[in-house]
Amino acid sequence: MSGKYKGMQEIILQTNKYAMFIPCAGHSLNLIGRAAVDCCLDAVNFFGIIQEICNFFSSSTHRWAILLSFYKDGAKVPKSLSQTRWEAHSRATQAILESYNEIISALQQLYTDTTQKGDTRNQAMNITNKMEELEFMVMLYLWSYLLEEFHKTSQSLQDPSISLDVCKKLYASLSDFVKGCRNMFDHFVEKAKEKLPDVDFKNPRNRRKPSNGDGDALENIEPRDRFRINSFIPVIDALESNLAQRASVYSDAANKFSFLTQLIATEEEIRVGVSALYQAYPEDVDMNLVGEVKHFHQYIRQSQASGSTERYSMTHQDLYK
């Protein structure tokens, strides 16, 4: 629990000042993603449309049958989002991206069919209009690209044998991946334009200019740049900042304990690790631990089968046993 001033952390620290806060690595990705979605209305609206598409077709066997009539074998059908499992967002966005044309065709058939109920035709037309906006398409390519990498990382983090050092590296690599997306706005726009060549960014509705003197500058921004500034960049910023915040926790823990699992570490590397651990737990650890760890590593190496490729990658749990 992350409340360090009034929450569970504070209560535990009153009992043990050396206790470490280490959040669930997998669940942290859910929280990071949730924060990025909530950072701007375009992201919130995008996932609202994704869920609306799924609800519209799945709530009626007739509409679902019409949708499937446009599908070929192996095509991905719309999927529901989940508030607790971020992987569901990855599957949902990927399904819409891969089956975009089929979904549009099904919606067009429904809203042009005069035998359908008026409410059904109206819903189908509204969803089609939303899906044929360039902003939606850019978001679809952006989130599909991001979530695929989040999904891979999440799967790795759920490995029960994962070490702190690997967890630290996974978060660092994911952070680098997100940073690289910052300069890919033009790429996502080009991909969106391939799907919607005759559509452009919307002009915002007229609003009262702010009284701080920046009104003219804001009004003169092109719709494309406005979308990049107000939606694309905030999503990347939110992901970057939250990843950095969470990654620092795992990095701190890894710096204290990872040397224990490095069975071929040099004496100097062990000494650096023990020194960091001593700084964190001065009442429990002293520098004599360097010799003990060297002896322990030697014992583990000799106790393993000769030529084993796994002896240098044991987990903390394996070493503890």
Side-chain angles (χ1 to χ4, degrees):
M1 299 183 183
S2 58
K4 61 183 179 180
Y5 299 111
K6 296 183 179 179
M8 184 61 69
Q9 277 192 63
E10 196 271 338
I11 295 174
I12 291 176
L13 289 172
Q14 288 179 2
T15 302
N16 183 356
K17 64 182 180 179
Y18 297 121
M20 289 182 66
F21 165 63
I22 304 181
C24 170
H27 182 57
S28 286
L29 289 186
N30 290 345
L31 300 177
I32 291 168
R34 185 73 262 168
V37 172
D38 290 339
C39 75
C40 69
L41 283 177
D42 278 320
V44 174
N45 291 336
F46 167 75
F47 283 105
I49 297 169
I50 297 293
Q51 187 63 53
E52 187 179 1
I53 295 168
C54 179
N55 292 345
F56 177 73
F57 285 107
S58 63
S59 62
S60 166
T61 54
H62 174 66
R63 294 197 289 263
W64 191 259
I66 291 177
L67 175 65
L68 293 182
S69 69
F70 289 94
Y71 273 57
K72 298 178 181 178
D73 292 340
K76 296 181 179 179
V77 297
K79 301 183 185 299
S80 181
L81 301 176
S82 170
Q83 296 302 317
T84 55
R85 295 189 64 82
W86 192 242
E87 292 95 326
H89 286 64
S90 176
R91 293 194 297 270
T93 54
Q94 200 63 37
I96 300 298
L97 181 60
E98 292 185 13
S99 304
Y100 179 84
N101 293 335
E102 290 81 359
I103 294 171
I104 290 292
S105 296
L107 289 168
Q108 288 175 342
Q109 177 169 317
L110 284 165
Y111 77 69
T112 57
D113 185 355
T114 56
T115 64
Q116 299 290 332
K117 293 181 179 179
D119 185 56
T120 296
R121 296 179 64 192
N122 185 55
Q123 278 186 276
M125 183 172 63
N126 287 337
I127 295 173
T128 302
N129 290 338
K130 294 173 183 176
M131 291 182 67
E132 291 183 337
E133 291 179 356
L134 193 60
E135 289 83 353
F136 172 85
M137 190 56 64
V138 172
M139 280 286 182
L140 183 59
Y141 276 104
L142 168 65
W143 280 108
S144 295
Y145 186 72
L146 288 170
L147 289 173
E148 182 180 4
E149 200 66 24
F150 268 70
H151 176 65
K152 293 176 185 176
T153 303
S154 179
Q155 293 297 304
S156 298
L157 289 171
Q158 291 175 38
D159 182 351
S161 65
I162 191 173
S163 68
L164 285 169
D165 195 47
V166 172
C167 179
K168 166 188 171 182
K169 291 175 181 177
L170 283 170
Y171 263 82
S173 65
L174 186 59
S175 179
D176 289 341
F177 173 82
V178 171
K179 289 177 182 177
C181 293
R182 180 177 293 274
N183 299 321
M184 293 182 65
F185 179 71
D186 290 339
H187 167 75
F188 294 125
V189 172
E190 288 175 9
K191 298 291 289 185
K193 278 287 192 178
E194 291 176 6
K195 285 280 189 183
L196 303 172
D198 299 324
V199 181
D200 211 338
F201 290 97
K202 296 181 299 183
N203 280 308
R205 283 180 279 180
N206 292 329
R207 298 175 181 170
R208 187 175 64 181
K209 294 181 181 180
S211 58
N212 58 6
D214 296 330
D216 292 335
L218 293 173
E219 288 296 321
N220 291 331
I221 296 178
E222 291 294 324
R224 175 192 177 107
D225 292 331
R226 187 185 294 271
F227 180 77
R228 182 180 63 83
I229 294 169
N230 292 341
S231 301
F232 180 83
I233 295 300
V235 166
I236 302 300
D237 283 345
L239 289 173
E240 278 192 38
S241 61
N242 282 277
L243 271 171
Q245 180 182 0
R246 297 274 169 174
S248 66
V249 176
Y250 306 117
S251 179
D252 184 48
N255 290 340
K256 291 184 176 73
F257 297 105
S258 287
F259 75 95
L260 293 170
T261 61
Q262 295 168 0
L263 300 182
I264 55 174
T266 64
E267 180 173 347
E268 180 59 28
E269 289 171 335
I270 294 174
R271 187 174 300 279
V272 171
V274 170
S275 178
L277 203 60
Y278 170 69
Q279 295 295 323
Y281 304 103
E283 296 180 8
D284 299 299
V285 178
D286 58 38
M287 294 307 293
N288 291 328
L289 184 61
V290 174
E292 295 183 41
V293 171
K294 282 181 60 181
H295 185 190
F296 179 59
H297 284 181
Q298 181 68 24
Y299 166 75
I300 293 295
R301 290 197 299 269
Q302 291 183 353
S303 66
Q304 297 299 301
S306 177
S308 171
T309 59
E310 298 180 355
R311 60 180 180 172
Y312 299 144
S313 59
M314 297 182 69
T315 67
H316 289 90
Q317 293 94 323
D318 293 333
L319 293 174
Y320 179 73
K321 290 176 182 178

